[in-house]
Amino acid sequence: MQFRHGARDEPEINLIPFIDVLLVILIFLMLSTTYSKFTEMQLRLPTADVDSQRDYPKEVIVAVSADGRYSINKKPVADRNVDTVAAALGAAATGGKDSVVIISADASSPHQAVITVMEAARRVGLVQITFAAQSSAQQAGH
């Protein structure tokens, strides 16, 4: 008996199933990854060119500090909640519902602090709200 010693085929590695598995893993990772929707960035607030400072006879000036404290017509407000700010706004509004609320917020004050002032003004019935801005001439001097 004579056995044939034929040429043996080299074994091949089939890459197609390997690539399929990698694509499934890639799709799974893409779908399961959560992306940060809120990124922190430094903002520089815009400045306004003001020709002359308007003088409202019935104005209520609300200052918001960088750490979120309030001062209404240069009188500090004890608490930071909406009800306290609304009570202080109501007491300071000498012109009644015709008073103009001028919000003068620090550039680095929290957004929620400004929204709290706007909500307090709405609760008291003061609908005329404006924002104070730093003129570009003042900013160039600093």
Side-chain angles (χ1 to χ4, degrees):
M1 259 209 250
Q2 194 175 20
F3 292 109
R4 282 185 167 174
H5 292 293
R8 285 185 72 192
D9 291 334
E10 282 292 316
E12 291 182 25
I13 297 176
N14 193 357
L15 293 179
I16 294 176
F18 178 70
I19 292 172
D20 288 343
V21 169
L22 285 179
L23 285 175
V24 168
I25 291 173
L26 180 67
I27 291 171
F28 174 77
L29 289 176
M30 287 173 48
L31 293 177
S32 65
T33 303
T34 57
Y35 297 100
S36 177
K37 293 180 182 171
F38 302 103
T39 58
E40 185 176 335
M41 65 178 101
Q42 297 295 325
L43 295 178
R44 186 180 183 113
L45 296 178
T47 59
D49 291 325
V50 180
D51 294 333
S52 64
Q53 184 76 17
R54 290 190 201 174
D55 216 6
Y56 297 108
K58 304 172 190 174
E59 66 183 12
V60 178
I61 300 173
V62 180
V64 182
S65 67
D67 58 352
R69 289 179 289 125
Y70 302 106
S71 174
I72 298 177
N73 287 342
K74 297 184 180 180
K75 295 177 185 169
V77 177
D79 200 6
R80 296 182 186 181
N81 65 18
V82 178
D83 295 328
T84 307
V85 176
L89 273 175
T94 57
K97 306 290 183 194
D98 293 333
S99 295
V100 177
V101 177
I102 300 174
I103 299 174
S104 178
D106 189 273
S108 59
S109 65
H111 183 71
Q112 181 60 47
V114 176
I115 297 298
T116 300
V117 174
M118 293 172 66
E119 173 65 18
R122 185 194 63 81
R123 287 186 184 181
V124 175
L126 301 173
V127 294
Q128 297 182 27
I129 298 175
T130 186
F131 294 91
Q134 181 179 11
S135 70
S136 56
Q138 288 176 339
Q139 188 179 20
H142 290 169

